[in-house]
Amino acid sequence: MTSYTTAVGGLATDVRLPDGAGPFPAVLLRTPYDRRRHRAELRGWTRRGFAAVVQDVRGRYASPGEWRPYDGEAADGAQLARWIRGRSWSDGRLVAYGASYAAHCALALALEAPEDARPDAVIAAVPALGTADTAREPSGVERLLTRAGWWAAHGDRPDSRDSALAKALAADPELLGHLPLLDLPRRLGRDLPSWPDVWARRERGRLTALGARAAVPLLAVGGHHDHFAEDTVELWRRWGGPSARLLMGPWGHGLTAAPGPDAHRAHRLNLGELYARWAHTALTGGLAAGRTGALALGGSPLWVPAHTPGEPYAPRLRPLRGAHFTADPEQPVRSDQLTIPTTGVPDRCVLVTPPLPRPLDLLGPAETRLSASADTPSADWAARLVAVTPDGHAERLAIGIVRRREPPGRTAEFGVPLGRLARRLHAGTRLRLEIAGHHFPAHARNPHTGEDPVTATRLTASTRRLDPARTALRLTTLRTRPAPTDPAEEIPR
């Protein structure tokens, strides 16, 4: 194999070529996380017959310039794509590939670059679609912990310090509780001039909307425990290319390297092999048209087709406590704790189902419906769904949060989406539904004053009233016994 380093448009670029005369199809990867970390991936692609090219994005690691996250990646990607197609070792066919921010780079190239620079196929794993998409829930609520961690580690610097936020929290456990949130850079002790821009951007779904007009095949890969899971599914659902494949497993943002508590041995896929098979098939025009894919059913060894039909299921809920509760941002319900206080003023409403008489397969969207009021003009409503096993072990299944602005005291009926579930629950499991006013530090605290949580400097408590009789949990279950599939066969089909 031949490998070398060069500069394309001034940006540091590594090239690795397979043995043989060529020319070869190529895989392009652009990353802010140091191209040198991808050398093993490049070797894997070349062993499978692809020329592999990885580039440090502008302003990161060995590439000069100023890094502006999520800006300008299509232009730099287009210059690299044209350069690849002009090499004697290239046969002109090109796959844009990446995970997380690198998936953003791949999608920007496929959807925003001039036609002559666009790839012939795209692999987007756990895609970070844009600043607003990563910083806020679809409801607009701020994802505080993940954005603070990412910007502390990577923002406004040419390299990364992955443990930056963890070290800062060790020194000051209340770091994320200080107000205003815009002052976080000062408390971290470093300049982060782009931090305010994170929260100034509110346009979500731009790349997803452009994907509806895409003209090339897509492989979208995600994890049920990844905070970008819904974006991954929506990208696949709206993709306009000739074929779209979805692969979702019981993984976190690190995919198979970050298995969830419901992962099974059958979910340990060789993703590199699967990506290469799909890419070869896509470039030779062998993919069947339409949207298909494979979903892992966590808690079981099953994989089922992505379009497996489901049916509505509404379990009976029994209130335990907190139909009237106080959402106090000074003492918020925490996202990193599943214990529930049993004394004092309730800080959430808690409802439970009877034990399941038999195993239950959940596959599809989930939502809770509420009839509730707050005595403040702005109120967040966080719904957390937890599975409690017969021996008392609690595991979070889903979280949803919405922001409501109503006249104080007025009762409203509304839903809180909980995302999509793909999970087998065993007999004897109870479902616990918690309704709270905060989910901190995963999400910024609503100050209840009507001010923006990012700039607010004053907090006030909010009295909540919820009608348990009109609280409903709406789930989706498998309609019939699952029809299993094999991802290694389904994805490249």
Side-chain angles (χ1 to χ4, degrees):
M1 298 181 184
T2 301
S3 61
Y4 61 92
T5 299
T6 187
V8 179
L11 306 184
T13 306
D14 287 350
V15 179
R16 193 172 183 92
L17 304 178
D19 291 330
F24 312 103
V27 171
L28 175 159
L29 169 65
R30 303 186 66 251
T31 177
Y33 302 126
D34 191 353
R35 74 194 193 287
R36 295 172 297 181
R37 295 185 179 184
H38 295 275
R39 286 171 176 168
E41 282 179 82
L42 266 60
R43 290 193 296 269
W45 283 107
T46 54
R47 283 196 300 269
R48 294 167 174 88
F50 289 86
V53 181
V54 60
Q55 181 180 78
D56 288 332
V57 300
R58 185 174 301 278
R60 293 286 286 176
Y61 287 90
S63 288
E66 182 180 357
W67 186 36
R68 297 181 179 275
Y70 302 102
D71 286 344
E73 302 298 4
D76 285 338
Q79 190 167 14
L80 180 58
R82 291 183 177 121
W83 180 86
I84 291 171
R85 286 180 168 140
R87 301 306 97 191
S88 61
W89 45 258
S90 169
D91 69 7
R93 296 178 298 167
L94 182 62
V95 177
Y97 155 67
S100 193
Y101 189 95
H104 168 84
C105 295
L107 290 164
L109 176 63
L111 301 174
E112 297 182 302
E115 292 288 342
D116 69 307
R118 294 188 179 186
D120 301 289
V122 179
I123 301 173
V126 287
L129 297 179
T131 302
D133 303 80
T134 62
R136 297 178 186 273
E137 300 289 351
S139 62
V141 177
E142 302 81 6
R143 291 170 171 159
L144 174 60
L145 182 60
T146 58
R147 291 305 87 194
W150 194 86
W151 246 262
H154 312 293
D156 299 300
R157 63 188 310 156
D159 57 4
S160 295
R161 296 290 184 270
D162 292 334
S163 61
L165 184 63
K167 289 181 177 179
L169 286 170
D172 179 7
E174 301 303 319
L175 176 72
L176 298 179
H178 297 305
L179 298 177
L181 294 179
L182 281 185
D183 278 355
L184 179 65
R186 179 177 58 81
R187 295 191 294 273
L188 288 172
R190 59 176 291 241
D191 290 334
L192 275 175
S194 66
W195 179 244
D197 190 49
V198 176
W199 309 109
R201 300 192 184 192
R202 294 178 177 271
E203 180 194 8
R204 296 183 94 262
R206 181 178 58 84
L207 283 181
T208 303
L210 290 174
R213 302 195 297 272
V216 300
L218 168 75
L219 171 55
V221 184
H224 298 310
H225 304 291
D226 176 41
H227 40 282
F228 301 148
E230 289 300 297
D231 290 338
T232 304
V233 174
E234 189 64 13
L235 180 72
W236 167 75
R237 292 183 62 184
R238 297 186 62 181
W239 192 258
S243 67
R245 299 290 180 268
L246 176 69
L247 178 68
M248 293 286 289
W251 313 311
H253 196 62
L255 296 176
T256 55
D262 54 335
H264 189 274
R265 289 189 304 273
H267 305 141
R268 298 174 185 169
L269 300 182
N270 184 334
L271 291 180
E273 180 65 33
L274 190 55
Y275 293 170
R277 286 189 60 197
W278 178 88
H280 273 300
T281 308
L283 293 181
T284 56
L287 292 175
R291 292 179 183 82
T292 61
L295 307 176
L297 191 66
S300 81
L302 286 176
W303 288 89
V304 298
H307 281 304
T308 301
E311 64 181 5
Y313 172 64
R316 180 166 55 88
L317 292 170
R318 177 172 64 87
L320 287 185
R321 72 191 305 259
H324 298 173
F325 68 92
T326 299
D328 185 354
E330 298 282 8
Q331 297 179 307
V333 170
R334 293 192 62 90
S335 56
D336 51 6
Q337 298 176 3
L338 289 181
T339 56
I340 298 177
T342 57
T343 60
V345 177
D347 63 354
R348 74 199 84 182
C349 179
V350 182
L351 308 99
V352 296
T353 69
L356 294 174
R358 62 187 65 85
L360 182 68
D361 290 333
L362 301 176
L363 188 71
E367 181 189 43
T368 184
R369 297 291 304 179
L370 305 179
S371 177
S373 67
D375 71 345
T376 49
S378 176
D380 288 358
W381 296 88
R384 182 164 66 184
L385 184 63
V386 175
V388 183
T389 62
D391 62 1
H393 174 72
E395 180 191 334
R396 192 185 80 174
L397 293 180
I399 177 72
I401 186 167
V402 299
R403 179 162 297 156
R404 302 280 303 180
R405 287 180 170 82
E406 308 279 357
R410 188 174 81 177
T411 298
E413 296 189 2
F414 55 93
V416 182
L418 296 171
R420 300 177 67 86
L421 298 176
R423 179 68 184 270
R424 172 167 290 174
L425 301 177
H426 298 289
T429 300
R430 293 176 182 266
L431 294 176
R432 186 176 81 203
L433 179 64
E434 304 169 36
I435 309 298
H438 300 96
H439 186 244
F440 175 83
H443 297 91
R445 294 168 296 172
N446 189 324
H448 298 143
T449 60
E451 297 174 271
D452 187 332
V454 177
T455 58
T457 57
R458 182 173 62 91
L459 305 174
T460 187
S462 174
T463 299
R464 309 294 179 90
R465 295 180 180 272
L466 186 143
D467 185 352
R470 303 182 72 177
T471 299
L473 178 60
R474 297 178 179 176
L475 305 173
T476 306
T477 63
L478 287 174
R479 183 176 301 165
T480 58
R481 184 175 178 83
T485 189
D486 181 352
E489 301 300 327
E490 184 70 30
I491 298 303
R493 182 173 63 82

